[in-house]
Amino acid sequence: MFITTGSRGLYKAPLCKGLLLILNGLTVMLTLLPQYQDMFVYSLHAVTHQNQVWRLLCCRLICLDVKDSFCSSLLIYNFRIFERRFGTRKFASFLLATWFLSALADFLLAQAFQYLFEYEVEELPAGLLAPVFSLFVPFYQSVPRMPVTQVLGHIQITNKTLVYIVGLQLLTSSPFMWLLALSGLISGGLYHSNVLWLQKILFVPAWVSFVGKYTLEPLLSSSQPTDETPLGMGATLDIQRQQRMDLLDQQMLMAQYETRRNARHQPQAGLLQWTRLFPSLRHRGRNRPPVQPQPQAQTHQSTQPPLLENSPIAEEQVALLVEMGFSRIDALEALRASNNDINMATNFLLQH
């Protein structure tokens, strides 16, 4: 929608689809039944002084403000790429961990604000807001930035600009929304960086994922789209625009790789080129240039193609890409070509 994630809707993103349907449905119900809204007010005073711990579960999931629900839904829809990239279980583990960490950070930040400015924060905006803000951490670090256009000749618009604008709109919707945003960014940074081995402590158990796979996923899964119309064959403007952005994204990834390789050393003869390696990930043996005959003295040396880097491929990175659904051969070639950069290899495999 906003970034180059492909025009596949909620395909392979059942958790995001469930969050959008259930949470927005509950928000609409509370809008129509205002007498029950008091039960979903995120009151820090009630949690700490009246021991209403149950409010943490209710108030940190459902939005009472329709505007907050709309903005957070747009962000969840755009962040669905992480569910496709990491898998539903790891994506759910990220949301679950940041939900717990941000709950603790909310109280710590509220106490710090009271200590510094002698003002007690009694209520915060309700909804799944802090975990949504935490997703900006992997969004900033792993999604490549691609220029799209310029405004007034100086202001550059990228494929990530509109997502940041929606986040800014959500940030300015309430007086203390900044506190939730800060707690979300802190919790997202801690979990994404695996500080204190949080990824091994806070995660969705395998049995929960197994139960959800056979009970909820069939209800929330989306069918594979069939819009594969090529350019110039009656494709809609949206598909054409998306294909152009995908092409620009691919060119940017190639440019990033060439820049990194040239910064280390000058190109050497015989090294595999980016543009010759990656097309073989899906169509091996097709459209390859004919191999030039080598002199007899060099036959033994050219039997094995040299690697881009002498460092071995980390088996855990290969296993991670295989777990995402890619084949082992594709994962090995992508990691070799990207110099063991898991983010760059994943981005290119997703685009192909």
Side-chain angles (χ1 to χ4, degrees), residues 268-307:
Q268 300 178 5
L271 290 183
L272 293 176
Q273 299 297 322
W274 176 278
T275 55
R276 295 180 55 189
L277 175 63
F278 276 109
S280 63
L281 292 181
R282 178 176 292 181
H283 307 285
R284 286 186 181 80
R286 302 180 184 178
N287 301 326
R288 289 189 179 182
V291 180
Q292 299 296 331
Q294 299 292 335
Q296 186 67 26
Q298 299 179 359
T299 303
H300 179 71
Q301 299 178 359
S302 62
T303 54
Q304 294 293 334
L307 298 179

Side-chain angles (χ1 to χ4, degrees), residues 25-95:
L26 292 175
T27 299
V28 173
M29 289 179 59
L30 290 177
T31 303
L32 300 176
L33 302 172
Q35 62 270 23
Y36 297 104
Q37 290 186 0
D38 291 339
M39 299 175 59
F40 297 88
V41 175
Y42 189 9
S43 175
L44 298 179
H45 184 271
V47 174
T48 55
H49 293 82
Q50 302 177 13
N51 297 325
Q52 297 181 0
V53 185
W54 55 269
R55 285 187 177 272
L56 291 177
L57 180 61
C58 299
C59 307
R60 303 189 76 250
L61 289 177
I62 306 173
C63 292
L64 296 179
D65 192 335
V66 177
K67 181 176 60 177
D68 293 346
S69 178
F70 178 75
C71 292
S72 61
S73 297
L74 286 178
L75 294 175
I76 290 175
Y77 179 80
N78 281 276
F79 291 149
R80 75 198 185 280
I81 57 172
F82 298 118
E83 184 175 1
R84 294 174 182 167
R85 177 180 300 183
F86 303 138
T88 301
R89 183 187 175 191
K90 290 187 176 181
F91 183 71
S93 298
F94 184 91
L95 292 179

Side-chain angles (χ1 to χ4, degrees), residues 41-44 59 106-107 110 121-126 176-177 179-180:
V41 175
Y42 189 9
S43 175
L44 298 179
C59 307
D106 289 348
F107 287 94
V121 181
E122 297 183 355
E123 293 184 4
L124 291 174
F176 285 101
M177 185 67 74
L179 194 146
L180 293 176

